Every structure is written in C-alpha cells, then in structure tokens.
Amino acid sequence: KVYMYCKGADDIMIPRIVNNRSKVFENLNWFATKGRRTLVYAFKELDPLLTKIWIQKYDSCVRHQKFDQIASL
C-alpha cells in the first residue's frame, strides 16, 4: 500500500479533509481555547496505478527542471 502524508496550517488543510471533519474542528477548537498553536496532519491511501503515473510525471518535471509544475501534479 502507498500512503500520502501531508501537514499544514488548519485553514489550508481543513477544506481537504474528507473523513472526521467535525472531530478535527472539535479538537482544533479545544486547542484554540487553550491558546495553543496547531498543525494538521493527514494521510490518504493512494491507488497504485495513479501513484505510478504521478511518479512518472514528477520524474519528468525534475528531469526537465520544470519545478514550478510539480505543485500542480
């Protein structure tokens, strides 16, 4: 199995969360009321075929030094 892990600020990550969004909000609110800063981590299991295609595109961008295109993959 292949997993993609991601981390970021809550305002960037929350729109991307599919499962347990209400639990994430609950936890973020709890930390916010305590004056704590937060960082959201998420993961997703990736389809092996789509992963292989993505890696090929990524490698092509790196090979041709098109680093600005990597983020849009």
Side-chain angles (χ1 to χ4, degrees):
K1 294 182 180 185
V2 177
Y3 292 92
M4 175 184 63
Y5 292 87
C6 188
K7 67 178 173 93
D10 54 359
D11 59 327
I12 300 299
M13 295 295 291
I14 287 174
R16 293 166 170 79
I17 295 174
V18 176
N19 298 323
N20 300 320
R21 188 179 288 190
S22 61
K23 186 67 174 173
V24 172
F25 275 124
E26 181 183 324
N27 288 325
L28 288 172
N29 285 332
W30 184 86
F31 281 110
T33 61
K34 306 289 185 202
R36 305 289 196 269
R37 297 181 65 189
T38 58
L39 184 64
V40 176
Y41 290 87
F43 72 93
K44 177 181 180 177
E45 184 177 345
L46 301 178
D47 176 89
L49 178 60
L50 294 177
T51 302
K52 183 178 180 180
I53 293 168
W54 184 89
I55 290 171
Q56 290 171 346
K57 290 179 182 179
Y58 176 87
D59 288 344
S60 176
C61 286
V62 171
R63 210 173 18 259
H64 296 99
Q65 297 185 355
K66 296 181 179 180
F67 303 111
D68 57 323
Q69 294 180 12
I70 291 174
S72 65
L73 296 177

